[in-house]
Amino acid sequence: MQHIDLSYQWTQPGHETARNRQSPLRNPLMDLLQAVRHAGSIGGAAKHLDLSYRHVWGELKRWEQSLGQPLIVWEKGQAARLTGFADKLLWAERQAQARLAPQISALQAELEKTFAVAFDPTHQALAIYASHDDALVMLREEAAAQSLHLDLRFCGSVDAIRALNEGRCHVAGFHAPWQPDADSLVARTYKPLLKPGLHKLIGFATRSQGLMVAPGNHLRLQSLADVAQAGALYVNRSPGTGTRLLLDQCLQVLGLQASDLTGYAHEENSHSAVAACIAAGQADAGLGIASAAQVHGLDFVPLYPERYWLVCLASALDSEPVRQLRALLSESAWQQRLQAMAGYTTTADAGQVQSLRSMLPWWQFRAARVPLGVNP
């Protein structure tokens, strides 16, 4: 069995775009293989990586000797291509990194927080537990350039709100369908965790949830009902996540049971991990967000528009880190970056504070009307 060593490096704000977002942990061999696959030649790979031809050639030969397996197929007059073994290496790394993305993000956040004081004594730190979301990863990079460190930990929406209520974070991130019914499973799950007056919402984004499917959507899946009817292999999210709540609620509305979805018990902990399973041919479909589908080269069938909310205690609204976060969310530069992401749109209330009663239907109580002549 091969042993794995981990490492990290520092980069300056504004240089993060050079990073392969599919691989939050970098590996030089995977970078080489990905570049050869993309360019179709050693020279093209060297140019893409800003390395010399000789260096790339030598590294590939060194890795072949070290692993005892050929990595590149060389045929005169044809483009260089990866061997079956090299393809398997890339897929294995892609799936592993997708599954470990929340833990890797937490490790990265912890390292950044620890070193922030050494690099910038005036930094502000804000602990955020949140449902997995690609825009939040980008927001952390944007905030770092303004000396605001977002200590971002990904978990399920339910667990994020619980962490806020238990004092383990300052802000939580969760998502819910646009104007969900007050009697829905989503409402019944979140309502006991959020209290009007105690909690305040901060506008963040609108995004689309839908079916992530293989390129070309050869099964012609357009809905969850199609997935069940076709017997397509489904890949699910973990219990406690907002996407799992959405799925279970939709199954109820459609009159379907969990057993009607082949693969319902197959669970992954992030949108990226679900997308990686589908891209690897291990599943046909799964609910997720458009940005994850795009990164993994999948087709996306939009189904459910939803709001992604940030929530904090009312008592924390005037703290300096929360004020900085709200100001950042309202900046046009940030909103333009968000708007450019697949499946996301900005909201007019981005960065603004909203009450639970004004934005969600679950606490909009109305006194029952008593018919005339009837004693209450």
Side-chain angles (χ1 to χ4, degrees), residues 25 30 78 89-90 93 135 144 174 237 248 262 291 315 334:
L25 284 178
M30 302 305 169
Q78 296 188 15
L89 278 183
L90 276 179
E93 195 238 12
F174 74 100
R237 289 293 304 281
D248 291 341
T262 305
S291 58
S315 58
W334 159 251

Side-chain angles (χ1 to χ4, degrees), residues 239-313:
T241 61
T243 301
R244 177 66 168 265
L245 271 177
L246 174 65
L247 171 71
D248 291 341
Q249 175 178 298
C250 292
L251 291 180
Q252 287 184 6
V253 172
L254 293 169
L256 298 173
Q257 304 296 320
S259 57
D260 292 324
L261 284 184
T262 305
Y264 180 91
H266 179 182
E267 299 170 356
E268 296 291 348
N269 63 353
S270 70
H271 296 288
S272 182
V274 170
C277 277
I278 298 168
Q282 297 176 355
D284 297 313
L287 275 185
I289 56 178
S291 58
Q294 183 183 67
V295 166
H296 289 269
L298 303 177
D299 281 5
F300 182 76
V301 182
L303 294 176
Y304 309 109
E306 62 180 8
R307 288 292 299 262
Y308 194 106
W309 296 104
L310 299 178
V311 58
C312 70
L313 299 181

Side-chain angles (χ1 to χ4, degrees), residues 17-168:
T17 53
R19 188 177 74 244
N20 181 355
R21 295 183 183 278
Q22 295 178 29
S23 304
L25 284 178
R26 302 302 301 273
N27 180 275
L29 172 59
M30 302 305 169
D31 287 346
L32 288 175
L33 295 179
Q34 191 67 49
V36 171
R37 170 187 278 177
H38 176 75
S41 68
I42 301 301
K47 183 177 180 180
H48 177 74
L49 296 171
D50 197 23
L51 298 171
S52 69
Y53 182 97
R54 181 177 181 180
H55 176 82
V56 172
W57 172 277
E59 283 296 289
L60 287 170
K61 287 300 182 183
R62 183 180 69 81
W63 279 110
E64 287 184 335
Q65 184 176 8
S66 174
L67 297 174
Q69 296 272 5
L71 297 173
I72 307 296
V73 176
W74 314 91
E75 293 181 359
K76 187 176 181 180
Q78 296 188 15
R81 66 181 190 274
L82 303 187
T83 64
F85 172 70
D87 270 326
K88 286 170 62 178
L89 278 183
L90 276 179
W91 277 118
E93 195 238 12
R94 191 172 182 178
Q95 287 185 272
Q97 295 229 27
R99 287 172 176 163
L100 291 173
Q103 294 92 325
I104 294 172
S105 178
L107 175 61
Q108 184 181 31
E110 186 63 33
L111 286 168
E112 288 180 351
K113 182 178 70 174
T114 302
F115 284 108
V117 175
F119 283 100
D120 183 5
T122 65
H123 86 289
Q124 295 286 339
L126 186 63
I128 300 179
Y129 279 54
S131 174
H132 185 255
D133 182 77
D134 290 341
L136 278 178
V137 176
M138 190 169 67
L139 179 67
R140 181 176 61 187
E141 297 171 359
E142 190 83 10
Q146 301 186 21
S147 297
L148 173 62
H149 170 69
L150 301 184
D151 187 4
L152 184 59
R153 312 298 175 98
F154 284 128
C155 58
S157 289
V158 173
D159 291 335
I161 300 173
R162 285 177 176 158
L164 175 67
N165 293 339
E166 293 168 4
R168 290 183 281 130

